[in-house]
Amino acid sequence: LIIQNFSISCFYLNTRKQHCYYFIYLLQTSDLSWLPCRFLDVLAARKDPAGLTGEVLIDGAPQPPNFKCLSGYVVQDDVVMGTLTVRENLTFSAALRLPSSISQQEKDQKVNKLIQELGLGRVADSKVGTQLIRGISGGERKRTNIGMELIIDPPVLFLDEPTTGLDASTANSVLLLLKRMANHGRTIILSIHQPRYTIYRLFDSLTLLVNGKQVYHGPAQSALDYFSDIGFICEAHNNPADFFLDVINGDSTAVALSNLDQEGLMKSGPLPSGLSSERLQGKQTAKFSPSRTITYNTGFLTQFKWVLKRTFRNLILNPQTSIAQVAVTLFLALVVGALFFKVQEDQSGIQNRIGSLFFIVVNQCFSSLSAAELFITERKLFTHEYISGYYRVSVYFLCKILSDILTLRTIPAMVFTCVAYFMIGLKATVEAFFTFMFTVALVSYTATSMAMAISADQTVVAIANIFMTISFVFMMIFAGLLVNLPSIASWLAWLKYLSIPRYGLSALQANEFPGLNFCTGLNSSMLPPSRKTQSCFLCTGESYLEKQGVDYSTWGLWQNHLALIVMIICFLTIAYLKLRFIRKFT
C-alpha cells in the first residue's frame, strides 16, 4: 500500500485467507482529520472517485461496479431507526437487502439466528432509543449496526472506528465479536485510534498511516520487531498502539535515540506481500475506476411497502413530531377562535374577518417550518441506506411526502378548521366549511413543499429555517392585507404571483365574503356628516372584494387552488431533484 497526497497506487485485498482481520491504525495530524474515514471509503467504494488514481484489487481482480452493495459497511455514527426495536431494524434490513426469492419466513429465521450470534437476545424487542426514548446500551446499539450489515452475509465487512463512544469494556466485547467472525473466514477491515493492548493483539494485519503516507503494512504481531530493527524500541509495559503514535509524532524517547528522522521512517515501510515496487510504480498513474453502481434485490413496490411502514411507525412513536404537532395546532386554533370569537356582520366584522383569515393563512405557512427537518435529520441514514442498496431515492421521497402530508399537515389542518371555524362564526354552510378546510390544507401543503425544496440539499436546519422565514415574510407583504395589491407599481406587481399567502387569503375571502351585508340596520341619520350615503361604507362582501381586487367568481375562487397545486408540483420536483443529485459519496 502506498498513499501519497491521497493517491492510491494499489491496495490488494486477499479474501482467500482463513483468518482475515485487517487493522488499519490511522495516525493523523490535526489538518488531516478527515483521512481515516476517507481512506476506508475508498476501499469500500464509497468515496467519490473524482481526483483519485490507482486501483483497489480484490483477490487480484478489480472491484465489481456494485461492490458497495455486496460488502458491509458500519459507519462511525450509528445509523439505525431509534424508535424501532432491534428486531424491527434487522427485519427491515433483511426485507430490503435479501433477494425476493427468499421467503419472509426464511428472512425471519435469519434475523433470529443473527440476534443470537450477536448476543442481542435479551434486548431483541427493546427500542434502540432516541433523545426522547430510553433505549439499549451503546455496545448493543453498535452490535445492532453490525447486524444490519451482516444480514446479507457480506464477504468483506468494513467498520469506521467501531469503538467510538464506547467504554473500554464494551469496546473490547465488540472487537471480540469481530474477531470471532474473522475466525470463521470473514474479512474484517476497520479503522481505529489508539486501541488498548487487549484490542490491539486481536488484529492479524496492520496498516499504519501518517499524513497520507504509509509507515507500515504487514502482520500486526511483527510490527514491533520491524520498528525495533530500524531503531525504535518499545519500552516494557508500553502499549504498542501508543508507542506507534509516539514514534510517528516524534514524542517518544526512542526517537531521540535514533538517527532516523520521520521522513526516513515513512520511506522505509514494507510493501504488502505479493506486491513488488515495480508493479506499484506501474500502477501509480492509473486512473481510479468509478464504482457508483447501485443494485437492488427488491422491486419498487416491496421497497415502498417497507419504507412507508417504517416511516409511519417512526412518526407514531415519536411524540415530538406527531402528538406535539396536533397539540400545538389545537392550542393555536383556540387562541384565534378566542380572539375573533363570533365576529359580527357589521363594519367591524370586515376587519375581524380579514384579520382572522390572514392569521390562519400565515399560521399555516410558518407551521410548515418543521418540514425543514424532514430530510436533514435523516441525511446520514438515507445516504448510508441508499448507497448500500436498501431502496431507491424515489421510494424514500414518496414515503416521506405521504407520511408528512397525511399526518403532520392534513390532520392538523382538519383539527384547526373544526375548532376555529365555528368559534369565529364564519359562514355557516356545508360548502363553505369544506372549501375552507380544503384551502387551509392546500396552503399547508404548498408551504411544506417549499420548505422541502429549500431544505433538501441543506445540512443545517437553522440555515434552512432562515431561508424559509425570509421567503414567507416577503410573501406576506403581497398577501393582500398589508398593501392593496391593485395599487402596487407594475414593475413589482408580478411578485404577487409568487406569494403562497396571497392565493390562500384570496381563496378564503372569495369563500367567506360573498353574500354578506355589513350595513344591516344602518340609516342615513346614523352616518357621519361626511358620509351621508351608504356608498361610503363597504356594505356588501362583494364590494369589499372588488376594492381589494379579489375575483370572487367560481373560477376566481378555484384558480387560487389551481395555482397552489402548480406550486406544489414545482416545489416537490425541485426537492426530488435536489435529493437525487446531492452528494452521497464522501
Side-chain angles (χ1 to χ4, degrees), residues 251-382:
D251 297 330
S252 174
T253 56
V255 177
L257 299 177
S258 174
N259 294 326
L260 297 176
D261 58 9
Q262 281 191 325
E263 188 65 26
L265 174 66
M266 294 178 186
K267 293 179 180 179
S268 60
L271 294 174
S273 58
L275 291 181
S276 64
S277 58
E278 290 81 4
R279 179 179 179 180
L280 289 177
Q281 291 175 357
K283 295 291 183 179
Q284 190 165 1
T285 58
K287 184 178 180 180
F288 192 85
S289 57
S291 180
R292 292 186 176 182
T293 304
I294 306 293
T295 56
Y296 307 99
N297 286 324
T298 54
F300 180 89
L301 293 180
T302 301
Q303 296 175 8
F304 183 78
K305 167 190 170 183
W306 282 94
V307 177
L308 186 64
K309 178 182 177 181
R310 185 182 71 166
T311 305
F312 269 109
R313 186 166 180 79
N314 179 55
L315 285 174
I316 294 173
L317 297 176
N318 193 341
Q320 186 178 9
T321 57
S322 54
I323 300 176
Q325 184 83 4
V326 177
V328 170
T329 299
L330 179 60
F331 173 76
L332 291 175
L334 292 173
V335 170
V336 69
L339 289 175
F340 302 98
F341 186 74
K342 296 300 180 182
V343 292
Q344 301 299 314
E345 197 167 334
D346 54 18
Q347 291 297 302
S348 65
I350 298 178
Q351 181 180 1
N352 290 337
R353 277 179 172 80
I354 190 62
S356 63
L357 298 180
F358 179 77
F359 179 91
I360 292 171
V361 170
V362 172
N363 173 67
Q364 293 302 309
C365 289
F366 281 96
S367 296
S368 67
L369 291 177
S370 61
E373 301 181 3
L374 195 63
F375 298 125
I376 296 178
T377 55
E378 292 186 5
R379 176 64 54 82
K380 291 182 179 179
L381 178 67
F382 161 68

Side-chain angles (χ1 to χ4, degrees), residues 454-569:
I454 292 176
S455 63
D457 61 342
Q458 298 293 321
T459 57
V460 180
V461 177
I463 300 299
N465 282 335
I466 291 175
F467 289 143
M468 289 185 291
T469 302
I470 294 175
S471 300
F472 285 141
V473 168
F474 275 100
M475 288 182 177
M476 286 171 52
I477 298 176
F478 294 92
L481 176 68
L482 303 180
V483 62
N484 185 269
L485 295 180
S487 65
I488 298 178
S490 58
W491 61 279
L492 285 176
W494 62 273
L495 291 174
K496 66 183 180 182
Y497 297 110
L498 304 178
S499 174
I500 297 175
R502 169 184 172 261
Y503 293 114
L505 185 60
S506 296
L508 292 180
Q509 291 180 95
N511 177 63
E512 173 64 22
F513 278 87
L516 297 181
N517 187 348
F518 302 109
C519 293
T520 303
L522 290 181
N523 54 57
S524 59
S525 62
M526 300 173 59
L527 298 177
S530 59
R531 295 182 177 178
K532 287 298 181 181
T533 63
Q534 290 189 8
S535 59
C536 297
F537 281 85
L538 298 175
C539 290
T540 64
E542 290 83 352
S543 61
Y544 172 79
L545 295 179
E546 290 173 358
K547 183 177 181 180
Q548 296 297 317
V550 177
D551 185 356
Y552 54 88
S553 64
T554 302
W555 166 243
L557 170 64
W558 292 102
Q559 69 178 353
N560 295 295
H561 297 145
L562 179 61
L564 292 175
I565 292 174
V566 171
M567 294 180 76
I568 291 174
I569 296 174

Side-chain angles (χ1 to χ4, degrees), residues 148-167:
M148 296 282 285
E149 302 303 314
L150 293 180
I151 202 73
I152 61 173
D153 288 327
V156 182
L157 178 64
F158 297 91
L159 300 100
D160 182 14
E161 301 185 45
T163 59
T164 298
L166 304 180
D167 58 73

Side-chain angles (χ1 to χ4, degrees), residues 78-86 88-89 126-136 141 310 314 317-318 378 381:
D78 297 330
V79 284
V80 289
M81 191 65 72
T83 54
L84 304 185
T85 65
V86 173
E88 288 170 339
N89 275 292
S126 301
K127 290 182 174 61
V128 175
T130 64
Q131 294 179 346
L132 300 177
I133 302 175
R134 184 175 182 179
I136 58 180
R141 190 183 183 98
R310 185 182 71 166
N314 179 55
L317 297 176
N318 193 341
E378 292 186 5
L381 178 67

Side-chain angles (χ1 to χ4, degrees), residues 9 22 68 102 221 226 243 273 339 403 456 479 525 533 566 569:
S9 294
Y22 289 90
K68 63 181 71 63
I102 301 178
Q221 305 309 319
Y226 167 75
F243 167 73
S273 58
L339 289 175
S403 63
S525 62
T533 63
V566 171
I569 296 174

